[in-house]
Amino acid sequence: MQQNKGRVTLPSQQNFLEETKELMERWGADALRDSDGTKLDEEIKQLNAKVYTTYFVARSHNEFAEKHLEEMQQLYLMSKFNTATGNELTIAFLDGYFEEQVEADYIHDVKKWWEVIDRTTGEVVDPVKWQVDKVQNVLIITDAIPWHEYTVSFLAYMKWDPTQMYNHITNDWGDKPHEIPFDVRQPHSNQFVKNYLQKWLKGNPDTDVVRFTTFFYHFTLIFNNLGEEKFVDWFGYGASVSVAALEAFAEEKGYRLRPEDIVDQGYYNSTFRTPTKAYLDYMDFIQKFTVSEIKSLVEEVHGHDKEAMMFLGDNWIGAEPYGKYFKDTGIDAVVGSVGDGTTLRMIADIPHVKYTEGRFLPYFFPDTFYDGNDPVLEAKENWLTARRALMRKPLDRIGYGGYLSLAYKFPSFVDYVGKITNEFRSIYELIHEVKPYSGLKVAVLNAWGRLRTWQTHMVAHGKYYKQTYSYQGVLEALSGSATDVTFLSFDDVIKSGIPDDVDVLINAGDASTAFSGGECWLDETLTSTIREWVYNGGGFIGIGEPTAFHHQGRFFQLADVLGVDKELGFSLSTNKHFTETVDAHFISENITSYDFGESTDNVYALREDAEVIEYSNGSIHLSSSSYGKGRGVYMAGLPYSHENTDLLMRSLYYAANKEKQFNVWHASNPYCEVHAYPDIKKYTVVNNSAEKQVTHVYLGTGISYEVALEPCEMKWEDYANEG
Amino acid sequence: MQQNKGRVTLPSQQNFLEETKELMERWGADALRDSDGTKLDEEIKQLNAKVYTTYFVARSHNEFAEKHLEEMQQLYLMSKFNTATGNELTIAFLDGYFEEQVEADYIHDVKKWWEVIDRTTGEVVDPVKWQVDKVQNVLIITDAIPWHEYTVSFLAYMKWDPTQMYNHITNDWGDKPHEIPFDVRQPHSNQFVKNYLQKWLKGNPDTDVVRFTTFFYHFTLIFNNLGEEKFVDWFGYGASVSVAALEAFAEEKGYRLRPEDIVDQGYYNSTFRTPTKAYLDYMDFIQKFTVSEIKSLVEEVHGHDKEAMMFLGDNWIGAEPYGKYFKDTGIDAVVGSVGDGTTLRMIADIPHVKYTEGRFLPYFFPDTFYDGNDPVLEAKENWLTARRALMRKPLDRIGYGGYLSLAYKFPSFVDYVGKITNEFRSIYELIHEVKPYSGLKVAVLNAWGRLRTWQTHMVAHGKYYKQTYSYQGVLEALSGSATDVTFLSFDDVIKSGIPDDVDVLINAGDASTAFSGGECWLDETLTSTIREWVYNGGGFIGIGEPTAFHHQGRFFQLADVLGVDKELGFSLSTNKHFTETVDAHFISENITSYDFGESTDNVYALREDAEVIEYSNGSIHLSSSSYGKGRGVYMAGLPYSHENTDLLMRSLYYAANKEKQFNVWHASNPYCEVHAYPDIKKYTVVNNSAEKQVTHVYLGTGISYEVALEPCEMKWEDYANEG
Ligand SMILES: [Mg+2]
Ligand SMILES: [Mg+2]
Ligand SMILES: [Mg+2]
């Protein structure tokens, strides 16, 4: 059944024809791509492979952009906080920004479009009380209240595309021109984008796939005065703003946005902020426009018998694949970077496209491919991590990025990728149209729901944050587990209740973030709906500071469901009697040592019947509680590991009151997993580790046997009837 | 100069005359006391010593109380949270309470005095929607909203004095009658209390000091259904409530209190709660009444040529020694338990009394005085800890409690106490009327200010809380340091600004507690006053989560002054660039390893010029920052230790911009301290440890010399002129 060719995309480069042919052969590649900075030779384009060509819509056309600087992309920025020491306060609002990236918009009336806020009171300062010195780039408040802090929210032009800026600075591209981003909403830009694509399509007959990198609005990426990253938000709509957009918004939605709706106290509506109605409206407005413009570009591409592929990254704002308009784009494929199981699922689960493609790690860059380093290690870790998720929902294609010539110098790496590509194809062939066995359906509940499917607790692709890893582990564990996973927003629950097929809700995050929910938990429909549902048999897992908003004597608003709450200091006078741990518990049966990551402190049980599973240093870190016919489970944090995946799976089964079904299509060893495919009567036992493992394997009937697995091994087996 | 007699009080007991005489001699005692449970023999009363007699005002008189059960003390209690699963909800509101301690008040109209609250919405349930079944002790809500949570706030009678209840249960007193507390505000009780005291004074001619234990209202101490402590708040006004009090309050203050004003979401206005106006009014109301009633009792005592002494504990509510009416009581003396330097200063600093007395540890109880244990160890630790504070403000007397016969069996203990009492007298003789040298004036800033002088972060006497020790260390360090310490409330600052002589403000606590300040920080006068003051040269030290309330892009409202803020997750997108620690800093010059206790996480610098002193695990734990001519210092926590005392002192001097004056009357070794008394031209070098120490001693001129000290040694020296 092993396929030696197909479903693999390689980067190529100039003067690398023979080696490209060899690697295509060894890895079974059927597509070749260029990169930002590399072009393909003619001979390479004529090889027996699809050709992907990178296409920039709204940058990389300075010949146009320089003629229409008034259509340059804009953004709203906030100055630093400035304390008034007297009645006059001068604010150098550009202070801390990178002058090569941004400049103030003095074309539009500053009194209309800018906002000065007294951050001590939160009040907007009357524009008659300030003026702007456009030469010095300062704003002077003439009637400041001494010792109050002030900020200026100002409209700026973004003169340099952030991705090119990043590459330019990182790779020291010297005086290579700065690519100017322009706003497709503006008349000349809109026309240019369409005309240029038409011309380009005609001029690139060898291109099979137009790889849009991406469309119009770049995620927010702002540099500081030293040319270093100052602010990055992969989800940020900051750089989608313009006067034209704001006017169109007012027209469409019937009210005007304030600068503060975008600036948001300097948080710029980070995904960690529970979104305001104004911001949701703005996102909707940008998405609707973006999708309709993408649609016309895609139609043009199709008109030239080519495919349109979207790179998930860079200028993807408004084109979110889980957004409600995405299906209208007509996009054929999405490609994105696969750092782990979570990002694999983020790509693989995208609906409405013909195929998905994952770019695997490592990149063929000198930071990995240097003498004395073994790139196989990173490749293996990446593959093992991603493979779990692939078993649940395979990508349609995989690929690599960077300089093929670098990889070529590492024969053991070339060998290993050959194994990966073969294994990928064999998995794909078997299961791509087959639904895997799932023991449970899990819904991740937060303020974003479906829009941020597999994207919770992310700031920027692959960046580690001390504040997030203890929650990201939940998604990573789920990404390769035998569960169906869905994403629900609070509004979904308020409007439509909890879908019938959901077994367990998970709410995970720090207090007041969009992922925990903050003030949303004051909505009585939300809490009542969940209480009723759990009471009637549902499962609710809270991680970190779930349902947290201090109100009416409770911090966790579903403390009754969870059986625990967090001590804020107000109830120290109340004795905390229930600290005895249970002797044994289904959830902790397999655990050898706990790792709650950053963990959560000062959690205590409200009731004697709460089952305290782990208690240390004066705090509960793991517990469960009955609530009617249902159950609540509390966990202090869940960084990703094989043991924690086991812990989460046990918690899910326990919460769902389905412990008896736990040992079905299951491997007892946390380093191993079983994936079963009832429609084809096959299952596989997978060793997710790079060491040998022995495990009990439980079949669909619950019958078990022991098996030994080589490092990384997958053992496929057929089974009859129930298994 | 050593005095061999005086200023020491001993407990005595029956059949212990000769040994009492011997111990009086050896310890130089000049006063004898009885205890709750022990009486003095006639012969003992005739010894050459003052006699203290314990006196209970509002309990221990069941012969009266049983005849006037309608005047029993009351309190407001809150039921558990109850979730409605349908439209009818039955709440067993007494569930979890101790039936021997409390019973529901069915005498007064429940519809008028009770309150049912929908805790999901915070709304009060219309009394027509509920009724009480007085037989079953349940309240039935007939029109509940399913899946909302409800609580009942009910008036109860307190049938058993909490202190006697505690002793009774702890010591297994069997069928000894339960002492019924009664409310002095009620007519019969008020009359009884006065008549009885008069009669008692006549009947106790040998008593020199009436030791009130204490007056009318016991701090809140509630037991659970198992007869264990359920709720304890040494500052709680819970057991001062009655219908009579509530009616009088309405009369006096012009508005009625709601049960919720007392119940406070089940927190019962713990000192960790920022007090509401209603609660402050209620405290004022109780204090005014209590003081006027105490005044008449004290006058009666004085009329019999006896002294009135107040025990700081038990029924002290309304009689707070730092309260604004306290001086009107006419009380002669206050006695309290000395667990550490902080509690010593709490007693020693009490104004308006003729003398103060501290009861030192250990108590002569079997839990310390048993075969094989060495009570000297505890006595030494207690003495060393307290002595630091004594050097700043001596108590006028010291004493012990418990069974003298137990102590008598430990000759080394008897010896050691002989040393303590002599050392105490010699210190007292030298400095009791002399102001010690202080290098700085420090104000501790919180919601309570002066009323809770030396009482911040306390729940109940001597009880350890994981959530408080990292802040209590601040007071303990200050209690024996060469600083003047004052306590300021936010209202003090708002109304009167910061006193001219204050060098440094300290704000220490967890977010939203009364000690950090929570919402108080939204007051623009508060923040502006402090900003202006620091800008002009003041020092501000924030510990833990100072000035914390999330508002307008900041968590620490004085983040600009401190130079740091805490990441709540909303600004993860903003890079945190300023993590480099300074090479050296005045504050950390002496430190060998840091201990921030429970510490605070996710603190980051806002500005490049913030001086990061300690940064680890992604968070700043110690930093300083300039603000105009002043300075801010941030510390993640400060549990008490000698090293942390040094760290705090350095932080204070640095914040005050007075580093150059640090080495004045100072010992370089953190285990040693110098106390100087310019008025008498003496200073002492003290070894605060039980090991030998060597230290540099800096005189008032800054000139230094080295000295070696024996364990616990104090070396007194004279000096000429400037020292
Ligand atoms: Mg946390
Ligand atoms: Mg397993
Ligand atoms: Mg803390």
Side-chain angles (χ1 to χ4, degrees), chain A residues 119 148 265 524 552-553, chain B residues 119 148 265 524 552-553 577:
Chain A
R119 292 292 177 188
H148 283 213
Q265 305 177 29
E524 52 187 307
Q552 292 292 313
Chain B
R119 292 292 177 188
H148 282 214
Q265 306 177 29
E524 52 188 305
Q552 292 292 313
H577 285 289

Side-chain angles (χ1 to χ4, degrees), chain A residues 142-153:
Chain A
T142 45
D143 202 2
I145 304 170
W147 312 109
H148 283 213
E149 288 191 291
Y150 293 87
T151 61
V152 176
S153 301

Side-chain angles (χ1 to χ4, degrees), chain B residues 649-709:
Chain B
M649 291 302 287
R650 288 178 168 274
S651 300
L652 290 167
Y653 274 85
Y654 188 80
N657 233 315
K658 290 188 173 176
E659 306 99 282
K660 288 186 183 131
Q661 283 149 264
F662 183 66
N663 279 333
V664 170
W665 296 125
H666 176 73
S668 62
N669 180 334
Y671 292 86
C672 301
E673 278 171 321
V674 174
H675 300 280
Y677 305 88
D679 294 348
I680 54 170
K681 295 275 184 266
K682 281 183 189 296
Y683 70 92
T684 180
V685 188
V686 189
N687 180 353
N688 289 321
S689 79
E691 289 85 44
K692 288 191 182 191
Q693 299 290 348
V694 175
T695 184
H696 283 276
V697 172
Y698 292 90
L699 303 178
T701 54
I703 291 166
S704 74
Y705 65 94
E706 200 176 81
V707 65
L709 295 158

Side-chain angles (χ1 to χ4, degrees), chain A residues 1 18 87 90 111 114 130 179 213 235 266 401 411 442 470 516 529 534 564 576 611 641 661-662 669 675 703 721:
Chain A
M1 112 191 13
E18 288 312 312
N87 292 115
T90 300
K111 298 273 177 165
W114 295 22
W130 55 263
E179 293 182 2
T213 306
F235 304 95
V442 179
S470 311
S516 169
T529 303
V534 178
V564 299
K576 309 299 189 296
E611 298 148 7
S641 70
Q661 285 150 262
F662 184 66
N669 180 335
H675 300 279
I703 291 167
N721 301 322

